[in-house]
Amino acid sequence: MAKEDEKKETGEWKEFFWNPRTHELLGRTASSWGLILLFYLVFYTFLAGMFCLTMYVMLLTLDDYQPTWQDRLATPGMMIRPKGDQLEIVYNVQKTESWDTYVQALDNFLAPYNDSQQVMKNDACIPDQYFIQEDSGEVRNNPKRSCQFNRTMLEECSGLSDHTYGYQDKKPCVLIKLNRVIGMLPGEKGKSPYVTCRARRYKDGDDWKEDSDNIGPIAYFPPNGSFNLMYYPYYGKRAQVNYSQPLVAVKFMNLTLNTDVNVECTINSNSNITQFKISERDKFAGRVIFKLRINTM
């Protein structure tokens, strides 16, 4: 009896897969399979067509050279070079390999700023005024020109007169750059934004302290640590292919050795003290915080 039941179940399964009497495959005839496959073909073709149509309409609203919407902070972000791990620059003067990585990073970063490269690609602009290049109606003024930022402008931190950027002499250089923001016009005519660095304040128990005695004097290059107005506005990577981001070099002349020094650099404006707003919620908006430590043993 059990064998007959097994044969019956096997026969039912085989008949479900292919029924020779009704010519059904998996319970459907050929015409039924054809109709359902046709339905899904039309259905998914319609979905794919709708997707392509919506993507095409969306792409028509986009500009190849400038974002349609720019939802950004009023204050641009800042970053340093070399970055180091977790924004820490720590090295031992007596161990060349500990600071040579920083020197190599600065060499690579500044290579496009060599004067020979800048003269070939960019223009010698008039300082202290915006380099505005407007379009003529529907006719785009592209590619747009860019102003020269020559490596020699960084003077003692250019790596030309001192190939170690001061790291060997315990006077390290740190380069500061602002994030690129399309259309940003910082400051006012004749008054460029500038960078200031100081010891970072920290909380020790209930009191606020800072390492002002450990940071020592600071030198800025170009003079006054300014981002000249002639490098603004920025028109985007596609429109301004040879754009050279302006830099400010900060040289720490007499750091206390074998001690952690927390540094905070901020962007400021001579003309409008509210233009660059520093928020404690975003530690990179208009400022950058990093740690310096020079060991001698």
Side-chain angles (χ1 to χ4, degrees):
M1 191 70 178
K3 291 184 177 180
E4 290 181 1
D5 291 341
E6 290 178 2
K7 290 181 179 179
K8 185 177 180 181
E9 291 177 0
T10 302
E12 289 177 353
W13 181 85
K14 291 181 178 179
E15 190 173 288
F16 172 75
F17 184 77
W18 170 249
N19 191 330
R21 292 179 291 102
T22 60
H23 297 89
E24 292 180 347
L25 178 66
L26 299 176
R28 291 183 180 275
T29 61
S31 60
S32 177
W33 276 113
L35 288 173
I36 196 170
L37 290 175
L38 178 63
F39 168 78
Y40 280 111
L41 177 64
V42 173
F43 177 68
Y44 286 114
T45 301
F46 173 77
L47 289 182
M50 285 293 295
F51 175 77
C52 293
L53 178 62
T54 53
M55 289 295 294
Y56 173 73
V57 173
M58 184 191 71
L59 290 174
L60 288 178
T61 65
L62 300 180
D63 192 318
D64 290 338
Y65 297 96
Q66 183 173 339
T68 304
W69 303 102
Q70 296 188 65
D71 185 13
R72 62 175 177 82
L73 295 173
T75 303
M78 294 179 68
M79 188 47 65
I80 63 170
R81 292 293 186 275
K83 291 190 296 184
D85 295 333
Q86 300 179 348
L87 294 182
E88 295 182 356
I89 300 176
V90 180
Y91 69 96
N92 191 313
V93 177
Q94 298 173 352
K95 297 180 180 180
T96 305
E97 65 277 7
S98 69
W99 48 264
D100 189 58
T101 54
Y102 299 132
V103 172
Q104 291 295 327
L106 290 174
D107 281 339
N108 295 334
F109 181 73
L110 289 177
Y113 290 91
N114 288 333
D115 291 20
S116 58
Q117 295 289 324
Q118 291 294 312
V119 169
M120 288 173 53
K121 296 180 179 179
N122 296 329
D123 296 356
C125 301
I126 301 174
D128 302 325
Q129 65 181 46
Y130 296 126
F131 189 34
I132 296 176
Q133 305 169 72
E134 297 180 347
D135 298 326
S136 300
E138 296 297 325
V139 180
R140 292 188 178 276
N141 180 21
N142 290 330
K144 299 185 187 298
R145 295 168 295 155
S146 301
C147 296
Q148 295 178 16
F149 188 95
N150 297 315
R151 187 170 178 173
T152 50
M153 296 170 63
L154 299 177
E155 300 180 31
E156 295 179 22
C157 291
S158 65
L160 301 176
S161 58
D162 176 8
H163 72 281
T164 69
Y165 299 91
Y167 283 79
Q168 188 176 29
D169 299 329
K170 309 171 192 173
K171 299 178 181 180
C173 290
V174 176
L175 304 183
I176 297 178
K177 66 184 186 71
L178 282 178
N179 289 349
R180 301 181 184 186
V181 178
I182 295 178
M184 183 180 72
L185 297 173
E188 292 180 354
K189 187 174 181 180
K191 296 181 179 180
S192 301
Y194 62 97
V195 171
T196 55
C197 296
R198 63 178 179 83
R200 167 71 173 167
R201 297 181 69 220
Y202 62 94
K203 198 168 186 179
D204 184 9
D206 295 330
D207 300 326
W208 284 94
K209 297 182 179 180
E210 62 181 41
D211 300 324
S212 55
D213 295 335
N214 298 327
I215 196 170
I218 299 173
Y220 298 92
F221 309 99
N224 302 321
S226 61
F227 295 104
N228 201 282
L229 298 182
M230 64 182 175
Y231 301 106
Y232 302 97
Y234 172 60
Y235 289 97
K237 189 174 182 179
R238 291 195 63 182
Q240 212 168 1
V241 293
N242 293 326
Y243 181 74
S244 294
Q245 203 165 352
L247 306 171
V248 167
V250 181
K251 185 166 186 174
F252 298 88
M253 307 299 292
N254 189 23
L255 281 173
T256 300
L257 304 178
N258 305 308
T259 303
D260 289 345
V261 181
N262 295 300
V263 183
E264 179 179 22
C265 295
T266 58
I267 182 68
N268 309 278
S269 175
N270 283 311
S271 56
N272 185 355
I273 60 173
T274 63
Q275 181 177 16
F276 301 113
K277 297 180 180 180
I278 307 301
S279 172
E280 290 299 327
R281 296 182 179 180
D282 190 344
K283 63 180 181 180
F284 294 109
R287 65 175 176 173
V288 62
I289 300 168
F290 57 96
K291 184 178 82 172
L292 278 173
R293 182 184 179 96
I294 304 176
N295 294 321
T296 58
M297 51 185 170

